[in-house]
Amino acid sequence: MRRLAVIALPYLWLLALFLVPFVIVLKISLSDTAIAIPPYTPILDLSAGWDGLRDFVADLDFENFAFLATDDLYWKAYLSSLRIAFVATVLTLLVGYPVAYAMARAEESWRPLLLMLVILPFWTSFLIRVYSWMGILSQEGYLNQLLMGLGLIDQPLTILNTNAAVYIGIVYTYLPFMILPIYATLEKLDTSLLEAAEDLGCSRMSAFWLVTVPLSVPGILAGCFLVFIPVIGEFVIPSLLGGSETLMIGKVLWEEFFSNRDWPVASAVAVILLLILIVPIVLFQRNEQKQREAGG
Amino acid sequence: MSPQTVFAPWEDPASKPLIRFYGVTKRFGDFTAIDNIDLDIFEREFFALLGPSGCGKTTLMRMLAGFETPTEGTIWLDGRDIGPVPPNKRATNMMFQSYALFPHLNVRDNIAFGLRREGKPKDAIAARVDEMLRLVQLQKFAGRKPHQISGGQRQRVALARCLAKAPRLLLLDEPLGALDRKLREETQFELMDIQEKTGTTFVIVTHDQEEAMTVASRVAVMDHGKLVQVATPDVIYEAPVSTYVADFIGDVNILPGRIAAQDGTRVTIDWAEGQPAIAARTRLALAPGSAAYFAIRPEKIAISAARPEGAANAVAGKVLDIAYLGNISTYHVELPGGQVIKAQSANTDRIAAREFTWEDAAWLSWTDAAGVVLDR
């Protein structure tokens, strides 16, 4: 009985905070727009009894999903989000792996401090940190001032409101999610394996590629998924740092909801986004599972 | 070389050592791990470095592998100073205490790892790996990952992996430490067998004196970064140079005393109030009155109910304790002065026929050549 309660608790949590909201969104996506509050129809009215419920279900349709297929803005936004998420994940990996490696090779007494420095940015609001990048990257921003002051450039660079700024923002924001899982696998790595590789004729470099990298694959995968999955739906960074060329589904979604006030289409966009995310989430779960099995 | 010749190149001044430590010191900060060591190890030797943990034996081995460099002094391999040679360029291979098998590679790929780094042709590598798998009898497990085989099998994969490159020198760091007793004993003989078959020079680090005695042609006993004694196992056992060595190897009674008189090799030692002086033989020249220790192994002391006739040394006491080990029994005999001496005898008779039991009076006796006289 107690066992059941323990298992039931997370499922109740999931039901209340994920499944119920999702069903509501799904229901809205099947509704039609209306100039009303809330701005869609039909609205579930249980007082009408069975007939009311039947009429309600009869009014639901897949019109909005069909509409998403006809307008190329949407699938272009999905593809563009996937591409940006992929490139940003690779960039984050390129920056994060050396940092994680250096941390794992640092003196043991230093590691808790380094770990804390990685987590430190979380102490400040995410929104404020993204805003501060606007101050750094803008035409008159600190970066341009520094580069011009050093005489490296004559004209200020246009970085803000381009995809480059979006990538900088994403790499900066999601870096800890990449560093932490990679650090966890590298820290566990038995250094005698590297000595064995050297003893058997490897240079330091080839020992890194043949032993360290293959053994940190689970951490690399975990970090990549932890960055890739949320970045697909990212809204704040592209809308604050990106420009007109930056097309991401999170921004489209926001505009549908708040500019167009078309809740049904916006919900349909969200449902499709969730379906797209299920693939990497399942892959991520499988990677975690495999790692647990290998560990145990 | 006639087949009767005993393998003892260290006694032949003409033979050239494979490894030569020349005044080697290693310091880590303030800590001196290795303290001015000179040591020669010869080709085809099975050389054991023996000592308690922290005595520097592992550091000595890691310097041979190239993972540590001497602070002072030089190490020569095959007449070449290997100080500046990095580990991946040395003709040495090491078997790690943890085995350090690559968890992402199967048994075959683990063994082939070193060979692939040499850039040999594929079929030559495959043939060599097969040969190694046969040598350690793991053909059936070639496709398994390290976590899918037993501890003993992992140990053999590690051995095969470091033998695959046919090194001039094989280093084994506590190779059998993780195995249970029975498997360890079997593996010791396997190791000796493989060493003989391949003709490789082995240097083994161990804290297990029995293991060192079983496998090694010579044993170096280490203490606090110094070599206390380097000799064959029987010399280490029968003629230790100090009470430290005597105590470290096997069971021993150490009786502190003072030299009463010396006449040539004959010496008498006063050691306890009311007890006759011990008669012993020694090659040391000891001044009368100087402190000395008499060390004697329990199995060299006879125990009897009656005073033995004509024994060079005999003392009476009372049986305090009997440790029955099946094949032998160890008797702890307390003398009137409170000293406890251990004597061991083979249980040639059934246990019921034993002449004495707890609290009985008993005589201990030994010849004048049974023990060693030590001055430190």
Side-chain angles (χ1 to χ4, degrees):
Chain A
M1 196 55 214
R2 221 162 106 199
R3 213 179 124 84
L4 198 73
V6 168
I7 297 170
L9 206 66
Y11 279 98
L12 280 175
W13 185 269
L14 208 64
L15 186 77
L17 296 179
F18 174 76
L19 213 55
V20 171
F22 177 72
V23 168
I24 293 171
V25 169
L26 185 66
K27 186 254 149 193
I28 298 175
S29 76
L30 299 174
S31 311
D32 295 317
T33 348
I35 301 176
I37 295 175
Y40 53 86
T41 175
I43 290 163
L44 184 57
D45 184 8
L46 288 176
S47 59
W50 273 114
D51 290 336
L53 192 66
R54 202 174 304 134
D55 289 344
F56 167 77
V57 173
D59 272 351
L60 298 177
D61 53 48
F62 287 96
E63 212 178 13
N64 298 315
F65 292 94
F67 171 68
L68 292 190
T70 56
D71 193 335
D72 66 354
L73 167 77
Y74 298 102
W75 65 263
K76 275 185 180 160
Y78 282 121
L79 278 184
S80 165
S81 294
L82 286 171
R83 203 191 61 235
I84 290 176
F86 178 78
V87 174
T89 304
V90 171
L91 291 174
T92 314
L93 176 64
L94 291 179
V95 177
Y97 197 97
V99 176
Y101 186 82
M103 282 169 62
R105 290 282 161 276
E107 200 108 9
E108 212 163 328
S109 53
W110 278 90
R111 288 185 206 161
L113 179 73
L114 293 172
L115 211 55
M116 212 194 65
L117 288 176
V118 169
I119 305 167
L120 199 64
F122 289 127
W123 293 11
T124 314
S125 159
F126 159 65
L127 214 54
I128 292 174
R129 285 183 285 131
V130 176
Y131 267 113
S132 65
W133 273 106
M134 294 172 76
I136 296 171
L137 298 176
S138 67
Q139 294 266 329
E140 311 79 36
Y142 298 119
L143 183 66
N144 275 319
Q145 284 181 25
L146 178 74
L147 292 177
M148 298 217 293
L150 290 172
L152 292 172
I153 50 170
D154 310 323
Q155 293 294 313
L157 298 171
T158 311
I159 304 172
L160 192 64
N161 302 112
T162 65
N163 276 351
V166 175
Y167 287 130
I168 291 172
I170 293 174
V171 170
Y172 163 75
T173 308
Y174 287 90
L175 197 57
F177 299 103
M178 184 63 84
I179 292 176
L180 295 176
I182 295 176
Y183 168 75
T185 53
L186 286 178
E187 201 224 1
K188 276 189 299 187
L189 190 85
D190 181 359
T191 48
S192 68
L193 291 177
L194 298 174
E195 287 187 343
E198 273 189 69
D199 187 62
L200 292 166
C202 275
S203 63
R204 287 267 165 91
M205 198 60 181
S206 57
F208 173 76
W209 287 111
L210 291 168
V211 179
T212 310
V213 172
L215 289 176
S216 53
V217 162
I220 293 174
L221 285 179
C224 286
F225 284 126
L226 285 177
V227 173
F228 184 74
I229 294 167
V231 166
I232 293 175
E234 181 58 55
F235 154 69
V236 174
I237 297 171
S239 66
L240 291 184
L241 302 179
S244 52
E245 55 166 332
T246 313
L247 186 59
M248 284 190 83
I249 199 68
K251 218 166 113 184
V252 171
L253 185 67
W254 194 88
E255 273 158 15
E256 287 297 343
F257 256 112
F258 297 100
S259 305
N260 284 355
R261 274 185 70 78
D262 190 342
W263 286 25
V265 167
S267 300
V269 170
V271 170
I272 299 282
L273 178 60
L274 188 84
L275 291 178
I276 292 173
L277 286 178
I278 281 175
V279 178
I281 288 172
V282 167
L283 288 175
F284 173 66
Q285 287 296 342
R286 208 174 278 173
N287 173 49
E288 293 288 290
Q289 184 80 24
K290 238 167 70 184
Q291 213 183 335
R292 263 199 299 278
E293 276 165 15
Chain B
M1 190 163 108
S2 73
Q4 265 72 38
T5 313
V6 181
F7 175 74
W10 49 87
E11 281 175 359
D12 177 6
S15 64
K16 276 212 178 101
L18 177 69
I19 303 157
R20 169 159 270 181
F21 283 87
Y22 194 78
V24 172
T25 295
K26 175 72 187 176
R27 290 190 202 94
F28 297 103
D30 293 339
F31 176 68
T32 306
I34 300 291
D35 193 358
N36 194 19
I37 277 183
D38 294 309
L39 176 64
D40 289 347
I41 299 173
F42 295 86
E43 188 143 21
R44 304 180 77 90
E45 252 201 281
F46 201 138
F47 193 89
L49 292 166
L50 178 65
S53 51
C55 70
K57 57 190 193 299
T58 299
T59 308
L60 204 62
M61 166 166 287
R62 288 174 61 82
M63 286 200 284
L64 280 174
F67 298 126
E68 310 285 355
T69 46
T71 314
E72 283 162 30
T74 50
I75 303 171
W76 300 75
L77 177 74
D78 257 343
R80 202 171 131 220
D81 179 5
I82 54 171
V85 183
N88 56 336
K89 300 263 158 49
R90 290 193 185 191
T92 61
N93 281 128
M94 179 158 168
M95 184 176 149
F96 290 78
Q97 189 173 5
S98 62
Y99 307 148
L101 297 179
F102 303 119
H104 57 300
L105 301 179
N106 65 24
V107 167
R108 169 173 288 279
D109 291 337
N110 260 288
I111 297 174
F113 191 91
L115 298 168
R116 295 209 173 117
R117 304 286 85 72
E118 292 174 338
K120 280 192 178 158
K122 267 203 171 124
D123 40 336
I125 292 176
R128 180 67 177 161
V129 172
D130 285 332
E131 193 187 335
M132 285 299 119
L133 284 168
R134 257 198 314 282
L135 182 71
V136 295
Q137 296 161 28
L138 283 173
Q139 297 101 315
K140 272 192 240 159
F141 300 93
R144 299 258 189 106
K145 290 272 178 71
H147 69 269
Q148 293 166 324
I149 56 177
S150 73
Q153 288 164 342
R154 257 175 258 166
Q155 188 267 349
R156 301 220 293 273
V157 176
L159 183 64
R161 187 178 68 177
C162 49
L163 277 171
K165 290 185 79 174
R168 293 283 285 141
L169 173 66
L170 189 72
L171 306 166
L172 304 120
D173 187 7
E174 304 265 5
L176 311 177
L179 305 182
D180 60 60
R181 192 185 168 86
K182 206 168 161 69
L183 193 56
R184 194 159 65 215
E185 280 169 6
E186 280 172 29
T187 315
Q188 282 168 4
F189 286 101
E190 264 179 37
L191 265 186
M192 291 160 73
D193 209 37
I194 287 171
Q195 196 256 348
E196 225 155 277
K197 257 189 226 162
T198 59
T200 312
T201 310
F202 278 30
V203 173
I204 183 175
V205 155
T206 180
H207 66 270
D208 180 345
Q209 42 108 353
E210 248 178 77
E211 186 169 297
M213 304 282 285
T214 311
V215 300
S217 58
R218 277 195 306 160
V219 178
V221 182
M222 293 186 70
D223 182 30
H224 289 99
K226 284 194 156 87
L227 293 173
V228 186
Q229 189 170 11
V230 182
T232 54
D234 58 307
V235 172
I236 295 264
Y237 189 77
E238 302 288 352
V241 295
S242 69
T243 52
Y244 175 83
V245 177
D247 200 26
F248 195 79
I249 310 278
D251 213 354
V252 71
N253 296 293
I254 293 175
L255 311 174
R258 280 187 188 285
I259 301 295
Q262 186 169 21
D263 172 20
T265 62
R266 290 170 186 280
V267 67
T268 49
I269 305 164
D270 287 329
W271 67 286
E273 199 79 18
Q275 294 288 356
I278 295 169
R281 288 171 182 274
T282 184
R283 284 192 189 150
L284 299 171
L286 299 156
S290 65
Y293 301 90
F294 182 69
I296 184 162
R297 304 283 179 193
E299 75 274 9
K300 294 193 168 57
I301 301 180
I303 183 163
S304 54
R307 189 190 170 108
E309 295 287 319
N313 298 285
V315 292
K318 148 183 108 166
V319 177
L320 197 66
D321 224 336
I322 305 175
Y324 174 71
L325 301 173
N327 55 341
I328 54 167
S329 291
T330 304
Y331 301 89
H332 293 226
V333 175
E334 190 179 19
L335 305 187
Q339 304 92 338
V340 176
I341 293 182
K342 283 174 280 185
Q344 218 166 48
S345 67
N347 293 323
T348 47
D349 241 329
R350 302 288 293 270
I351 193 164
R354 197 160 59 193
E355 287 178 276
F356 32 74
T357 181
W358 286 269
E359 303 295 323
D360 282 358
W363 282 88
L364 300 176
S365 58
W366 60 92
T367 66
D368 61 354
V372 255
V373 181
L374 302 168
D375 56 356
R376 58 191 163 110

